[in-house]
Amino acid sequence: MASRQQRRDRLIFLVPSMTVLAVILVYPLAYSLGLSFYNYYLPVPRTTFVGLENFRFILADDAFWEALGVTARFTGAAVAIEVVLGIAVALLLDARIPCRRFVNTVVLLPMAITPAVAGLLMRWMFESNWGLVNYFLGLAGVRGPGWTGDPAWALWSIILADVWQNTPFVILVVYAGLQSVPVEPLEAAMVDGASRAQTLAHVVFPFLRPLVLFVLIIRSMDAFRIFDQVFVMTGGGPGTTTQTITFYNYVMAFRQLRMGRASALGVITLLILSLVIGAWIYLLYRREKGEW
Amino acid sequence: MTRRAWRFGRRRGVLCLILLVGASALLIARGAAPTAWAAEPTVHYISHRFPMLEFWVKKMGEYPGIKLEAELIPFDQALEKMQIHLSQGASTYDIMATDAFLPTFAERGWLMPLDPLIAKLRQAVEWDDIDPILVRDVCSYKGKVYGVPNLAISMFFFYRKDLFDAAGLKPPATMDEWIAAAKALTMADKKQYGTAMTLKAGDGFQNDFTYYLRTYGGDWYDKDWKVTIDSEAGVKALTTMKELMKYAPPNVLAFHNDESTVAMQQGLTAMGLLWQSRALAMDNAQVSKVVGKVSFAVPPAATKGGKSHARLAVGCYSISAFTKNDPELVFQVIGKTLSKANMRESAGLATPTRLSVTRDPEVMQKFRFIRAAADNVQAGARLVPSNPEFSEAMLQTTQTLQKGLTGELAIPEALKRAQKVMSDLMTEKGYYKK
């Protein structure tokens, strides 16, 4: 058991990191929470306390629910594609394909690009008249859609851009997981005559489950907060078909200059995101409660 | 190491530390007060980017004895940056292109009234040569001058004369003729579309919509500032825009002015409503495939012989109320940049705002589209409403109106919701009695 002196030393060692956390995490959060109870309109220096009025306004606002719907569709589609594709590619890389190192490097390249630059790149690739995507579709005899200017395709163009950039993260994590699967259970499965699919489902995937959960949580959080690609590729349009929660938050704060409402929206977003992550953990570990 | 050497080393270390701290303090102080240290004052400029403003910035940089730091960025980003900095009372910018949001900024106390400077420097900047109507109607607010007009431009009709001649068509005089001509000249398989449109939400969409709305007899507000877009004219405007969209490039809802200009320059579109400032670029062989093929006309009216009300815009240069530079110097930089000689040189980029230049027959003859611009104003080109709330509600309103074009909402519903957005803001700002 640690002595009083040891406990005190530990606390002293914790002070610097707790101070940093308080400055960069707790203070902004508390400040934002405080602002959400005020009518703070940037051009007017005077602020007034309005209680829960900002929250009431947002929850009654159609634009909020639309943005939430867009965010949910985006997160669901992007994360699902990234996880499935990422696992598939990781398995492929694990299967000792030729030029594996080269493929490994190339596959990971999109991760090295900042999201705004990736968005710009994708904006030009999805440009309907002169873009690369429609050019290749044209070579295949397909007339490409208007992508970012077409309400039916605009969200998909952002989803595809996100998949391009973030699938490598899933590949990286899952591939690392595959390297750590012990050989003994795999050999036992082979001796027992298990097929490749059975080995994957009953031996490999249980090992990967914590990693997949980790990837799902990280990617869901990131996807839910998507901003850069939306800002660069579509600006939330056409109409509001690609206006996600964070983009709507940005519009409220920096175009409408309603800082109080924007803070309230930030708080609501944080609560929703916490619920989503909690739900992921509960759903994926409901049989194994207590594992975490 | 001897004790003496150790001491000497320690002293040297302390000396180095003192020097380092001193140098850092010096650098920080220099950064905090650039005007106090710099040999020449730095004037900070921000505006959106298009050829006319690029020209002015080039000339401004030639002003002797100053260092110019200019930011020319897309319209919405420029507006956003100005709002954020000015709302905090920051002296980040000295000169700003305020244009349609001049009343909004003036109302919030972010702009410096120029009347005392004009009184003092009237001769030096040849103030009386600057069009007084533009000063009064656009660059003033509540009787005070807050800007110097730097350009006047209107949107007019660009069309490919070669394609029109080949198809036996004339420039459309009515909306129906426009739709018919656009249909006739659309050959999507050859990547040729009938018409360019500027439909990106924000000021781009607003420019186009204002033209259709007013040309069909409507407007944004009535004389009592009641919002009036949810009207028969509003329905006709959006219906015509939706019909024309069928003959526009597929991603036209993402088109701002640059995209519409490029579409015309690259031969992607056969006609369209574009800003006067883009006319010269059609004949620039370095960037245009249609040199000498584009002609200009007054935009179509609703019916034959009717009026056509395209957008007219007057740009103003304003001085930040929070500038730390000498206001007289900043005003002179603006005034000298907008000199007669510079304006004569740039007359092809926009209609000059100095009377002596606009009345110069040589200038009128040299730039063939200036005639179209003059006809356009005669035909009824008009400024946007001057109330501060107009630009404030623009993004949300146009996003909602755009939904009427995408089919997310029926046209009457889109108009109804857009009207509510604007009306709510007007109510909040105390325009209507509750």
Side-chain angles (χ1 to χ4, degrees), chain A residues 41-42 66 127-129 146 238-240 243 250 254-256 258, chain B residues 80 84 87-88 108 188 191 251 253 392 396 399 402-403 408 428:
Chain A
Y41 178 48
L42 210 53
E66 278 176 32
E127 210 290 322
S128 65
N129 303 300
T240 49
Q243 182 161 283
Y250 157 79
F254 299 112
R255 293 199 176 154
Q256 298 174 10
R258 310 272 175 181
Chain B
E80 203 173 290
I84 291 167
S87 66
Q88 300 309 302
R108 292 171 182 169
K191 282 216 164 183
N251 61 335
L253 285 163
E392 197 173 329
Q396 235 183 321
Q399 271 182 337
Q402 220 187 30
K403 289 182 180 181
E408 284 176 84
E428 190 186 328

PDB file of all heavy atoms in Angstrom, chain A residues 41-42 66 127-129 146 238-240 243 250 254-256 258, chain B residues 80 84 87-88 108 188 191 251 253 392 396 399 402-403 408 428:
ATOM      1  N   TYR A  41     -24.628  38.757 -28.715  1.00  0.00           N
ATOM      2  CA  TYR A  41     -24.600  39.056 -30.149  1.00  0.00           C
ATOM      3  C   TYR A  41     -23.334  39.882 -30.364  1.00  0.00           C
ATOM      4  O   TYR A  41     -23.219  40.984 -29.826  1.00  0.00           O
ATOM      5  CB  TYR A  41     -25.870  39.819 -30.504  1.00  0.00           C
ATOM      6  CG  TYR A  41     -25.992  40.256 -31.944  1.00  0.00           C
ATOM      7  CD1 TYR A  41     -25.735  39.365 -32.988  1.00  0.00           C
ATOM      8  CD2 TYR A  41     -26.401  41.549 -32.270  1.00  0.00           C
ATOM      9  CE1 TYR A  41     -25.860  39.771 -34.306  1.00  0.00           C
ATOM     10  CE2 TYR A  41     -26.533  41.955 -33.579  1.00  0.00           C
ATOM     11  CZ  TYR A  41     -26.254  41.063 -34.590  1.00  0.00           C
ATOM     12  OH  TYR A  41     -26.375  41.470 -35.888  1.00  0.00           O
ATOM     13  N   LEU A  42     -22.408  39.345 -31.133  1.00  0.00           N
ATOM     14  CA  LEU A  42     -21.059  39.908 -31.204  1.00  0.00           C
ATOM     15  C   LEU A  42     -20.992  41.428 -31.463  1.00  0.00           C
ATOM     16  O   LEU A  42     -20.199  42.124 -30.834  1.00  0.00           O
ATOM     17  CB  LEU A  42     -20.247  39.150 -32.260  1.00  0.00           C
ATOM     18  CG  LEU A  42     -18.740  39.057 -32.038  1.00  0.00           C
ATOM     19  CD1 LEU A  42     -18.395  38.514 -30.680  1.00  0.00           C
ATOM     20  CD2 LEU A  42     -18.113  38.174 -33.111  1.00  0.00           C
ATOM     21  N   GLU A  66     -32.599  19.577 -39.128  1.00  0.00           N
ATOM     22  CA  GLU A  66     -32.103  19.214 -40.468  1.00  0.00           C
ATOM     23  C   GLU A  66     -30.608  18.915 -40.407  1.00  0.00           C
ATOM     24  O   GLU A  66     -30.132  17.926 -40.956  1.00  0.00           O
ATOM     25  CB  GLU A  66     -32.341  20.358 -41.450  1.00  0.00           C
ATOM     26  CG  GLU A  66     -33.750  20.396 -42.020  1.00  0.00           C
ATOM     27  CD  GLU A  66     -33.948  21.609 -42.908  1.00  0.00           C
ATOM     28  OE1 GLU A  66     -32.990  22.055 -43.553  1.00  0.00           O
ATOM     29  OE2 GLU A  66     -35.079  22.129 -42.941  1.00  0.00           O
ATOM     30  N   GLU A 127     -15.518  18.173 -59.426  1.00  0.00           N
ATOM     31  CA  GLU A 127     -16.056  19.260 -60.259  1.00  0.00           C
ATOM     32  C   GLU A 127     -16.711  18.591 -61.474  1.00  0.00           C
ATOM     33  O   GLU A 127     -16.087  17.782 -62.150  1.00  0.00           O
ATOM     34  CB  GLU A 127     -14.906  20.189 -60.681  1.00  0.00           C
ATOM     35  CG  GLU A 127     -15.311  21.630 -60.891  1.00  0.00           C
ATOM     36  CD  GLU A 127     -16.167  21.849 -62.116  1.00  0.00           C
ATOM     37  OE1 GLU A 127     -15.907  21.192 -63.134  1.00  0.00           O
ATOM     38  OE2 GLU A 127     -17.108  22.648 -62.059  1.00  0.00           O
ATOM     39  N   SER A 128     -17.958  18.952 -61.697  1.00  0.00           N
ATOM     40  CA  SER A 128     -18.717  18.152 -62.670  1.00  0.00           C
ATOM     41  C   SER A 128     -18.302  18.386 -64.123  1.00  0.00           C
ATOM     42  O   SER A 128     -18.434  17.502 -64.954  1.00  0.00           O
ATOM     43  CB  SER A 128     -20.204  18.420 -62.507  1.00  0.00           C
ATOM     44  OG  SER A 128     -20.469  19.745 -62.840  1.00  0.00           O
ATOM     45  N   ASN A 129     -17.792  19.564 -64.434  1.00  0.00           N
ATOM     46  CA  ASN A 129     -17.492  19.854 -65.834  1.00  0.00           C
ATOM     47  C   ASN A 129     -16.054  19.536 -66.231  1.00  0.00           C
ATOM     48  O   ASN A 129     -15.792  19.159 -67.361  1.00  0.00           O
ATOM     49  CB  ASN A 129     -17.772  21.330 -66.132  1.00  0.00           C
ATOM     50  CG  ASN A 129     -19.199  21.677 -65.802  1.00  0.00           C
ATOM     51  OD1 ASN A 129     -20.116  21.106 -66.371  1.00  0.00           O
ATOM     52  ND2 ASN A 129     -19.405  22.582 -64.849  1.00  0.00           N
ATOM     53  N   GLY A 146     -23.818  16.100 -61.095  1.00  0.00           N
ATOM     54  CA  GLY A 146     -23.273  17.421 -60.753  1.00  0.00           C
ATOM     55  C   GLY A 146     -22.538  17.423 -59.421  1.00  0.00           C
ATOM     56  O   GLY A 146     -22.086  18.458 -58.973  1.00  0.00           O
ATOM     57  N   PRO A 238     -25.956  22.305 -51.790  1.00  0.00           N
ATOM     58  CA  PRO A 238     -27.015  23.254 -52.152  1.00  0.00           C
ATOM     59  C   PRO A 238     -28.174  23.226 -51.145  1.00  0.00           C
ATOM     60  O   PRO A 238     -28.441  22.165 -50.588  1.00  0.00           O
ATOM     61  CB  PRO A 238     -27.483  22.741 -53.520  1.00  0.00           C
ATOM     62  CG  PRO A 238     -26.958  21.376 -53.669  1.00  0.00           C
ATOM     63  CD  PRO A 238     -25.842  21.180 -52.731  1.00  0.00           C
ATOM     64  N   GLY A 239     -28.801  24.369 -50.989  1.00  0.00           N
ATOM     65  CA  GLY A 239     -29.796  24.502 -49.924  1.00  0.00           C
ATOM     66  C   GLY A 239     -29.075  24.257 -48.609  1.00  0.00           C
ATOM     67  O   GLY A 239     -28.067  24.892 -48.317  1.00  0.00           O
ATOM     68  N   THR A 240     -29.596  23.267 -47.852  1.00  0.00           N
ATOM     69  CA  THR A 240     -28.884  22.889 -46.623  1.00  0.00           C
ATOM     70  C   THR A 240     -28.576  21.395 -46.652  1.00  0.00           C
ATOM     71  O   THR A 240     -28.426  20.778 -45.602  1.00  0.00           O
ATOM     72  CB  THR A 240     -29.736  23.224 -45.384  1.00  0.00           C
ATOM     73  OG1 THR A 240     -31.062  22.712 -45.601  1.00  0.00           O
ATOM     74  CG2 THR A 240     -29.803  24.695 -45.132  1.00  0.00           C
ATOM     75  N   GLN A 243     -25.390  20.726 -44.803  1.00  0.00           N
ATOM     76  CA  GLN A 243     -25.124  21.541 -43.603  1.00  0.00           C
ATOM     77  C   GLN A 243     -25.129  20.639 -42.366  1.00  0.00           C
ATOM     78  O   GLN A 243     -26.184  20.255 -41.875  1.00  0.00           O
ATOM     79  CB  GLN A 243     -26.154  22.654 -43.468  1.00  0.00           C
ATOM     80  CG  GLN A 243     -25.879  23.543 -42.272  1.00  0.00           C
ATOM     81  CD  GLN A 243     -26.571  24.888 -42.376  1.00  0.00           C
ATOM     82  OE1 GLN A 243     -26.140  25.764 -43.103  1.00  0.00           O
ATOM     83  NE2 GLN A 243     -27.662  25.037 -41.652  1.00  0.00           N
ATOM     84  N   TYR A 250     -20.880  26.873 -36.922  1.00  0.00           N
ATOM     85  CA  TYR A 250     -19.967  27.894 -37.472  1.00  0.00           C
ATOM     86  C   TYR A 250     -20.763  29.064 -38.067  1.00  0.00           C
ATOM     87  O   TYR A 250     -20.447  30.236 -37.828  1.00  0.00           O
ATOM     88  CB  TYR A 250     -19.075  27.222 -38.523  1.00  0.00           C
ATOM     89  CG  TYR A 250     -18.489  28.146 -39.544  1.00  0.00           C
ATOM     90  CD1 TYR A 250     -17.375  28.931 -39.230  1.00  0.00           C
ATOM     91  CD2 TYR A 250     -19.045  28.258 -40.813  1.00  0.00           C
ATOM     92  CE1 TYR A 250     -16.843  29.783 -40.170  1.00  0.00           C
ATOM     93  CE2 TYR A 250     -18.516  29.106 -41.746  1.00  0.00           C
ATOM     94  CZ  TYR A 250     -17.417  29.873 -41.427  1.00  0.00           C
ATOM     95  OH  TYR A 250     -16.902  30.726 -42.353  1.00  0.00           O
ATOM     96  N   PHE A 254     -20.064  32.629 -36.646  1.00  0.00           N
ATOM     97  CA  PHE A 254     -19.205  33.555 -37.394  1.00  0.00           C
ATOM     98  C   PHE A 254     -19.877  34.257 -38.567  1.00  0.00           C
ATOM     99  O   PHE A 254     -19.298  35.147 -39.155  1.00  0.00           O
ATOM    100  CB  PHE A 254     -17.944  32.819 -37.848  1.00  0.00           C
ATOM    101  CG  PHE A 254     -17.141  32.303 -36.694  1.00  0.00           C
ATOM    102  CD1 PHE A 254     -17.021  30.948 -36.461  1.00  0.00           C
ATOM    103  CD2 PHE A 254     -16.550  33.179 -35.803  1.00  0.00           C
ATOM    104  CE1 PHE A 254     -16.312  30.473 -35.380  1.00  0.00           C
ATOM    105  CE2 PHE A 254     -15.837  32.722 -34.713  1.00  0.00           C
ATOM    106  CZ  PHE A 254     -15.719  31.368 -34.498  1.00  0.00           C
ATOM    107  N   ARG A 255     -21.066  33.843 -38.924  1.00  0.00           N
ATOM    108  CA  ARG A 255     -21.794  34.597 -39.958  1.00  0.00           C
ATOM    109  C   ARG A 255     -22.958  35.350 -39.351  1.00  0.00           C
ATOM    110  O   ARG A 255     -23.197  36.487 -39.679  1.00  0.00           O
ATOM    111  CB  ARG A 255     -22.250  33.652 -41.068  1.00  0.00           C
ATOM    112  CG  ARG A 255     -21.066  33.102 -41.832  1.00  0.00           C
ATOM    113  CD  ARG A 255     -21.424  32.550 -43.170  1.00  0.00           C
ATOM    114  NE  ARG A 255     -20.215  32.141 -43.863  1.00  0.00           N
ATOM    115  CZ  ARG A 255     -20.179  31.203 -44.796  1.00  0.00           C
ATOM    116  NH1 ARG A 255     -21.282  30.590 -45.170  1.00  0.00           N
ATOM    117  NH2 ARG A 255     -19.056  30.890 -45.382  1.00  0.00           N
ATOM    118  N   GLN A 256     -23.690  34.662 -38.444  1.00  0.00           N
ATOM    119  CA  GLN A 256     -24.788  35.380 -37.780  1.00  0.00           C
ATOM    120  C   GLN A 256     -24.295  36.096 -36.519  1.00  0.00           C
ATOM    121  O   GLN A 256     -25.027  36.918 -35.974  1.00  0.00           O
ATOM    122  CB  GLN A 256     -25.898  34.390 -37.426  1.00  0.00           C
ATOM    123  CG  GLN A 256     -26.521  33.723 -38.645  1.00  0.00           C
ATOM    124  CD  GLN A 256     -27.507  32.635 -38.267  1.00  0.00           C
ATOM    125  OE1 GLN A 256     -27.872  32.481 -37.115  1.00  0.00           O
ATOM    126  NE2 GLN A 256     -27.943  31.868 -39.248  1.00  0.00           N
ATOM    127  N   ARG A 258     -24.084  35.104 -33.534  1.00  0.00           N
ATOM    128  CA  ARG A 258     -24.873  34.815 -32.325  1.00  0.00           C
ATOM    129  C   ARG A 258     -24.060  33.873 -31.434  1.00  0.00           C
ATOM    130  O   ARG A 258     -24.231  32.653 -31.480  1.00  0.00           O
ATOM    131  CB  ARG A 258     -26.195  34.146 -32.701  1.00  0.00           C
ATOM    132  CG  ARG A 258     -26.969  34.857 -33.773  1.00  0.00           C
ATOM    133  CD  ARG A 258     -27.845  35.890 -33.167  1.00  0.00           C
ATOM    134  NE  ARG A 258     -28.521  36.672 -34.194  1.00  0.00           N
ATOM    135  CZ  ARG A 258     -29.335  37.658 -33.922  1.00  0.00           C
ATOM    136  NH1 ARG A 258     -29.566  37.998 -32.688  1.00  0.00           N
ATOM    137  NH2 ARG A 258     -29.899  38.342 -34.898  1.00  0.00           N
TER     138      ARG A 258
ATOM    139  N   GLU B  80     -16.726  37.860 -43.276  1.00  0.00           N
ATOM    140  CA  GLU B  80     -16.603  37.173 -41.995  1.00  0.00           C
ATOM    141  C   GLU B  80     -15.419  37.712 -41.173  1.00  0.00           C
ATOM    142  O   GLU B  80     -15.562  38.025 -39.987  1.00  0.00           O
ATOM    143  CB  GLU B  80     -16.364  35.712 -42.324  1.00  0.00           C
ATOM    144  CG  GLU B  80     -16.722  34.736 -41.271  1.00  0.00           C
ATOM    145  CD  GLU B  80     -16.568  33.362 -41.871  1.00  0.00           C
ATOM    146  OE1 GLU B  80     -17.370  33.008 -42.737  1.00  0.00           O
ATOM    147  OE2 GLU B  80     -15.611  32.676 -41.487  1.00  0.00           O
ATOM    148  N   ILE B  84     -15.639  39.743 -37.525  1.00  0.00           N
ATOM    149  CA  ILE B  84     -15.051  39.215 -36.293  1.00  0.00           C
ATOM    150  C   ILE B  84     -14.061  40.213 -35.698  1.00  0.00           C
ATOM    151  O   ILE B  84     -14.098  40.513 -34.502  1.00  0.00           O
ATOM    152  CB  ILE B  84     -14.394  37.840 -36.550  1.00  0.00           C
ATOM    153  CG1 ILE B  84     -15.490  36.807 -36.842  1.00  0.00           C
ATOM    154  CG2 ILE B  84     -13.559  37.393 -35.354  1.00  0.00           C
ATOM    155  CD1 ILE B  84     -14.999  35.514 -37.396  1.00  0.00           C
ATOM    156  N   SER B  87     -15.881  43.585 -34.601  1.00  0.00           N
ATOM    157  CA  SER B  87     -16.755  43.438 -33.430  1.00  0.00           C
ATOM    158  C   SER B  87     -15.939  43.438 -32.130  1.00  0.00           C
ATOM    159  O   SER B  87     -16.463  43.731 -31.066  1.00  0.00           O
ATOM    160  CB  SER B  87     -17.584  42.155 -33.538  1.00  0.00           C
ATOM    161  OG  SER B  87     -16.731  41.036 -33.480  1.00  0.00           O
ATOM    162  N   GLN B  88     -14.665  43.084 -32.233  1.00  0.00           N
ATOM    163  CA  GLN B  88     -13.811  43.092 -31.049  1.00  0.00           C
ATOM    164  C   GLN B  88     -13.046  44.415 -30.899  1.00  0.00           C
ATOM    165  O   GLN B  88     -12.155  44.530 -30.051  1.00  0.00           O
ATOM    166  CB  GLN B  88     -12.806  41.935 -31.121  1.00  0.00           C
ATOM    167  CG  GLN B  88     -13.468  40.567 -31.200  1.00  0.00           C
ATOM    168  CD  GLN B  88     -14.506  40.362 -30.105  1.00  0.00           C
ATOM    169  OE1 GLN B  88     -14.197  40.460 -28.933  1.00  0.00           O
ATOM    170  NE2 GLN B  88     -15.756  40.111 -30.489  1.00  0.00           N
ATOM    171  N   ARG B 108     -23.210  49.880 -36.620  1.00  0.00           N
ATOM    172  CA  ARG B 108     -22.563  49.268 -35.451  1.00  0.00           C
ATOM    173  C   ARG B 108     -21.376  50.101 -34.932  1.00  0.00           C
ATOM    174  O   ARG B 108     -20.709  49.696 -33.986  1.00  0.00           O
ATOM    175  CB  ARG B 108     -22.061  47.874 -35.821  1.00  0.00           C
ATOM    176  CG  ARG B 108     -23.188  46.885 -36.088  1.00  0.00           C
ATOM    177  CD  ARG B 108     -22.640  45.593 -36.654  1.00  0.00           C
ATOM    178  NE  ARG B 108     -23.709  44.656 -36.960  1.00  0.00           N
ATOM    179  CZ  ARG B 108     -23.532  43.533 -37.656  1.00  0.00           C
ATOM    180  NH1 ARG B 108     -22.335  43.218 -38.103  1.00  0.00           N
ATOM    181  NH2 ARG B 108     -24.539  42.731 -37.897  1.00  0.00           N
ATOM    182  N   ALA B 188     -25.794  19.070 -74.251  1.00  0.00           N
ATOM    183  CA  ALA B 188     -25.040  18.541 -73.101  1.00  0.00           C
ATOM    184  C   ALA B 188     -23.976  17.534 -73.531  1.00  0.00           C
ATOM    185  O   ALA B 188     -22.914  17.467 -72.914  1.00  0.00           O
ATOM    186  CB  ALA B 188     -25.995  17.911 -72.098  1.00  0.00           C
ATOM    187  N   LYS B 191     -20.929  19.180 -74.205  1.00  0.00           N
ATOM    188  CA  LYS B 191     -20.565  20.053 -73.078  1.00  0.00           C
ATOM    189  C   LYS B 191     -20.835  21.516 -73.392  1.00  0.00           C
ATOM    190  O   LYS B 191     -19.976  22.379 -73.220  1.00  0.00           O
ATOM    191  CB  LYS B 191     -19.110  19.836 -72.676  1.00  0.00           C
ATOM    192  CG  LYS B 191     -18.910  18.586 -71.846  1.00  0.00           C
ATOM    193  CD  LYS B 191     -17.839  18.809 -70.799  1.00  0.00           C
ATOM    194  CE  LYS B 191     -17.954  17.711 -69.746  1.00  0.00           C
ATOM    195  NZ  LYS B 191     -17.023  17.857 -68.674  1.00  0.00           N
ATOM    196  N   ASN B 251     -23.782  21.433 -62.061  1.00  0.00           N
ATOM    197  CA  ASN B 251     -23.515  21.846 -60.663  1.00  0.00           C
ATOM    198  C   ASN B 251     -23.706  23.346 -60.464  1.00  0.00           C
ATOM    199  O   ASN B 251     -23.022  23.964 -59.655  1.00  0.00           O
ATOM    200  CB  ASN B 251     -22.105  21.445 -60.237  1.00  0.00           C
ATOM    201  CG  ASN B 251     -21.041  22.104 -61.094  1.00  0.00           C
ATOM    202  OD1 ASN B 251     -21.320  22.459 -62.232  1.00  0.00           O
ATOM    203  ND2 ASN B 251     -19.844  22.269 -60.569  1.00  0.00           N
ATOM    204  N   LEU B 253     -25.746  25.048 -58.939  1.00  0.00           N
ATOM    205  CA  LEU B 253     -26.104  25.515 -57.591  1.00  0.00           C
ATOM    206  C   LEU B 253     -24.862  25.818 -56.748  1.00  0.00           C
ATOM    207  O   LEU B 253     -24.952  26.418 -55.690  1.00  0.00           O
ATOM    208  CB  LEU B 253     -26.967  24.471 -56.880  1.00  0.00           C
ATOM    209  CG  LEU B 253     -28.413  24.405 -57.386  1.00  0.00           C
ATOM    210  CD1 LEU B 253     -29.067  23.113 -56.962  1.00  0.00           C
ATOM    211  CD2 LEU B 253     -29.231  25.591 -56.889  1.00  0.00           C
ATOM    212  N   GLU B 392     -27.343  40.926 -43.374  1.00  0.00           N
ATOM    213  CA  GLU B 392     -27.248  40.041 -42.205  1.00  0.00           C
ATOM    214  C   GLU B 392     -28.047  38.747 -42.402  1.00  0.00           C
ATOM    215  O   GLU B 392     -27.608  37.673 -41.999  1.00  0.00           O
ATOM    216  CB  GLU B 392     -27.754  40.795 -40.971  1.00  0.00           C
ATOM    217  CG  GLU B 392     -27.327  40.142 -39.678  1.00  0.00           C
ATOM    218  CD  GLU B 392     -27.674  40.985 -38.470  1.00  0.00           C
ATOM    219  OE1 GLU B 392     -27.691  42.220 -38.574  1.00  0.00           O
ATOM    220  OE2 GLU B 392     -27.946  40.395 -37.414  1.00  0.00           O
ATOM    221  N   GLN B 396     -28.883  32.813 -44.701  1.00  0.00           N
ATOM    222  CA  GLN B 396     -29.992  31.942 -44.294  1.00  0.00           C
ATOM    223  C   GLN B 396     -31.148  32.028 -45.281  1.00  0.00           C
ATOM    224  O   GLN B 396     -31.741  31.032 -45.660  1.00  0.00           O
ATOM    225  CB  GLN B 396     -30.471  32.388 -42.917  1.00  0.00           C
ATOM    226  CG  GLN B 396     -30.472  31.271 -41.896  1.00  0.00           C
ATOM    227  CD  GLN B 396     -31.024  31.764 -40.588  1.00  0.00           C
ATOM    228  OE1 GLN B 396     -30.749  32.900 -40.171  1.00  0.00           O
ATOM    229  NE2 GLN B 396     -31.796  30.944 -39.925  1.00  0.00           N
ATOM    230  N   GLN B 399     -30.236  30.316 -48.611  1.00  0.00           N
ATOM    231  CA  GLN B 399     -30.214  28.851 -48.437  1.00  0.00           C
ATOM    232  C   GLN B 399     -31.637  28.309 -48.536  1.00  0.00           C
ATOM    233  O   GLN B 399     -31.879  27.288 -49.166  1.00  0.00           O
ATOM    234  CB  GLN B 399     -29.655  28.496 -47.060  1.00  0.00           C
ATOM    235  CG  GLN B 399     -28.160  28.328 -47.018  1.00  0.00           C
ATOM    236  CD  GLN B 399     -27.681  27.915 -45.620  1.00  0.00           C
ATOM    237  OE1 GLN B 399     -28.362  28.158 -44.621  1.00  0.00           O
ATOM    238  NE2 GLN B 399     -26.520  27.305 -45.552  1.00  0.00           N
ATOM    239  N   GLN B 402     -32.961  28.610 -52.074  1.00  0.00           N
ATOM    240  CA  GLN B 402     -32.316  27.602 -52.919  1.00  0.00           C
ATOM    241  C   GLN B 402     -33.050  26.266 -52.852  1.00  0.00           C
ATOM    242  O   GLN B 402     -33.099  25.522 -53.828  1.00  0.00           O
ATOM    243  CB  GLN B 402     -30.876  27.423 -52.432  1.00  0.00           C
ATOM    244  CG  GLN B 402     -29.881  27.268 -53.549  1.00  0.00           C
ATOM    245  CD  GLN B 402     -28.509  26.921 -53.006  1.00  0.00           C
ATOM    246  OE1 GLN B 402     -28.352  26.298 -51.973  1.00  0.00           O
ATOM    247  NE2 GLN B 402     -27.486  27.320 -53.735  1.00  0.00           N
ATOM    248  N   LYS B 403     -33.636  26.000 -51.693  1.00  0.00           N
ATOM    249  CA  LYS B 403     -34.375  24.740 -51.540  1.00  0.00           C
ATOM    250  C   LYS B 403     -35.576  24.672 -52.481  1.00  0.00           C
ATOM    251  O   LYS B 403     -36.044  23.597 -52.821  1.00  0.00           O
ATOM    252  CB  LYS B 403     -34.845  24.579 -50.094  1.00  0.00           C
ATOM    253  CG  LYS B 403     -33.719  24.288 -49.135  1.00  0.00           C
ATOM    254  CD  LYS B 403     -34.281  24.100 -47.750  1.00  0.00           C
ATOM    255  CE  LYS B 403     -33.179  23.815 -46.753  1.00  0.00           C
ATOM    256  NZ  LYS B 403     -33.701  23.601 -45.411  1.00  0.00           N
ATOM    257  N   GLU B 408     -36.196  20.504 -52.564  1.00  0.00           N
ATOM    258  CA  GLU B 408     -36.352  20.136 -51.151  1.00  0.00           C
ATOM    259  C   GLU B 408     -37.636  20.728 -50.586  1.00  0.00           C
ATOM    260  O   GLU B 408     -38.236  20.181 -49.675  1.00  0.00           O
ATOM    261  CB  GLU B 408     -35.172  20.659 -50.334  1.00  0.00           C
ATOM    262  CG  GLU B 408     -33.898  19.892 -50.486  1.00  0.00           C
ATOM    263  CD  GLU B 408     -32.772  20.565 -49.707  1.00  0.00           C
ATOM    264  OE1 GLU B 408     -32.652  20.327 -48.512  1.00  0.00           O
ATOM    265  OE2 GLU B 408     -32.020  21.354 -50.324  1.00  0.00           O
ATOM    266  N   GLU B 428     -36.996  41.532 -34.628  1.00  0.00           N
ATOM    267  CA  GLU B 428     -35.998  41.580 -33.550  1.00  0.00           C
ATOM    268  C   GLU B 428     -35.282  42.931 -33.516  1.00  0.00           C
ATOM    269  O   GLU B 428     -34.949  43.434 -32.439  1.00  0.00           O
ATOM    270  CB  GLU B 428     -35.001  40.445 -33.786  1.00  0.00           C
ATOM    271  CG  GLU B 428     -34.048  40.219 -32.648  1.00  0.00           C
ATOM    272  CD  GLU B 428     -32.993  39.181 -32.994  1.00  0.00           C
ATOM    273  OE1 GLU B 428     -33.281  38.246 -33.762  1.00  0.00           O
ATOM    274  OE2 GLU B 428     -31.857  39.330 -32.513  1.00  0.00           O
TER     275      GLU B 428
END
